[in-house]
Amino acid sequence: MSAEIHLFSCLTDNYGVLIHDPSTGATASIDAPEAAPVEAALAEKGWRLTDILVTHHHADHTAGIAALKAKHNCRVIAPRKEAAKIGNTDVTVREGDMVSVGSMVARVLETPGHTAGHITYWFKQDKIAFVGDTLFSVGCGRILEGTPQMMWASLLKIRNLPADTKIYCGHEYTAANVRFALTIEPNNSALRARAEEIVRLLEQKKPTIPTTVQQEKSYNPFLRADLHSVSGAIGMEGANPESVFATIRARKDKF
Ligand SMILES: [Zn+2]
């Protein structure tokens, strides 16, 4: 049986996500922005929390861990490089490690840049990746603890996943990301279609995620820094992709 996903809002613009294995009843929360919405989501679905898979140490991804662990005695899995900052950690993981949630298995990809130890959980068989604050739909995370080179390499790792991989990210930032992306590629037809779709979804108060690797490759400027259409648009044709990416990221920081 394939994984079931439940997506819900937390805090101002964070997403909480539960992934549930129907065959064993195991359920993991991806990050824990705050305990109450995770508890409400578990109650709504009738699922029992067995694991918390942490992507990075920021408080808006970890503040709910202590209360959830105290109540459910769940296992907390966290990036080895940030475990000391996260606390309440049972298992630390790094690049290439496998994490089992019931019968489901995630491979750990180190995707630093937003934070120095940020990781992504890729459930290959279920074709799902939980990318935290590394990649957003039509955008990417701010580079707070790394370099543009590091972030570009992390984004390439995600871009290289199978095209039909569903992407769940940590925040609903898509509308602002689309506004920025249109300043880079105003004539990208996939991006223009996405812009229209976003207006419709947000009007209906629906999430704009999950997205897919294939979709993001078609309209996310941060995954397209090695294409002429992007480098040319900012007057950097022929420049290396890291420099193009760094320039776009710096523009977005000021946007
Ligand atoms: Zn963050």
Side-chain angles (χ1 to χ4, degrees):
M1 277 189 281
S2 55
E4 291 177 29
I5 297 282
H6 183 55
L7 178 73
F8 50 96
S9 296
C10 291
L11 302 170
T12 313
D13 51 29
N14 279 77
Y15 278 122
V17 196
L18 299 175
I19 181 167
H20 174 74
D21 175 18
S23 64
T24 63
T27 303
S29 176
I30 310 303
D31 292 328
E34 50 180 345
V38 177
E39 295 287 10
L42 289 164
E44 182 186 337
K45 301 301 288 185
W47 293 346
R48 183 176 56 88
L49 188 67
T50 53
D51 300 275
I52 301 174
L53 309 186
V54 185
T55 61
H56 67 296
H57 69 83
H58 286 158
D60 63 328
H61 294 255
T62 58
I65 292 174
L68 290 167
K69 184 166 176 61
K71 178 162 179 203
H72 299 276
N73 195 29
C74 53
R75 193 175 58 142
V76 176
I77 293 146
R80 186 159 305 170
K81 290 173 184 165
E82 299 187 357
K85 289 179 180 164
I86 292 165
N88 294 293
T89 297
D90 298 299
V91 181
T92 66
V93 291
R94 61 179 179 177
E95 177 76 30
D97 283 348
M98 299 301 221
V99 176
S100 293
V101 177
S103 66
M104 307 180 297
V105 180
R107 175 187 285 270
V108 174
L109 310 176
E110 289 185 350
T111 50
H114 176 66
T115 64
H118 193 299
I119 60 174
T120 286
Y121 295 91
W122 175 38
F123 289 78
K124 180 180 177 183
Q125 193 159 9
D126 294 290
K127 301 182 178 183
I128 298 168
F130 297 101
V131 300
D133 288 357
T134 299
L135 177 70
F136 295 119
S137 185
V138 205
C140 75
R142 278 179 188 266
I143 302 169
L144 300 176
E145 296 178 9
T147 64
Q149 290 74 17
M150 195 186 277
M151 190 63 151
W152 171 245
S154 295
L155 292 173
L156 288 183
K157 262 190 207 178
I158 297 170
R159 193 178 78 173
N160 285 336
L161 296 176
D164 58 353
T165 306
K166 286 197 180 77
I167 302 283
Y168 285 86
C169 55
H171 291 269
E172 180 56 68
Y173 287 160
T174 315
N177 288 341
V178 164
R179 281 197 293 279
F180 173 74
L182 283 168
T183 69
I184 307 285
E185 288 190 287
N187 299 318
N188 178 331
S189 57
L191 176 59
R192 292 165 72 118
R194 179 66 165 155
E196 288 173 16
E197 181 188 29
I198 295 306
V199 170
R200 276 202 309 278
L201 287 170
L202 295 179
E203 270 175 7
Q204 297 164 18
K205 305 220 183 303
K206 288 186 179 162
T208 65
I209 65 166
T211 175
T212 66
V213 168
Q214 180 158 1
Q215 283 173 256
E216 292 305 313
K217 280 161 81 169
S218 73
Y219 49 57
N220 187 326
F222 297 101
L223 295 185
R224 297 167 56 81
D226 52 354
L227 298 183
H228 293 303
S229 57
V230 169
S231 58
I234 59 170
M236 290 184 72
E237 199 136 20
N240 67 50
E242 289 95 335
S243 310
V244 175
F245 170 75
T247 301
I248 303 172
R249 185 57 257 181
R251 282 194 188 187
K252 176 66 168 60
D253 288 343
K254 296 193 211 93
F255 183 69

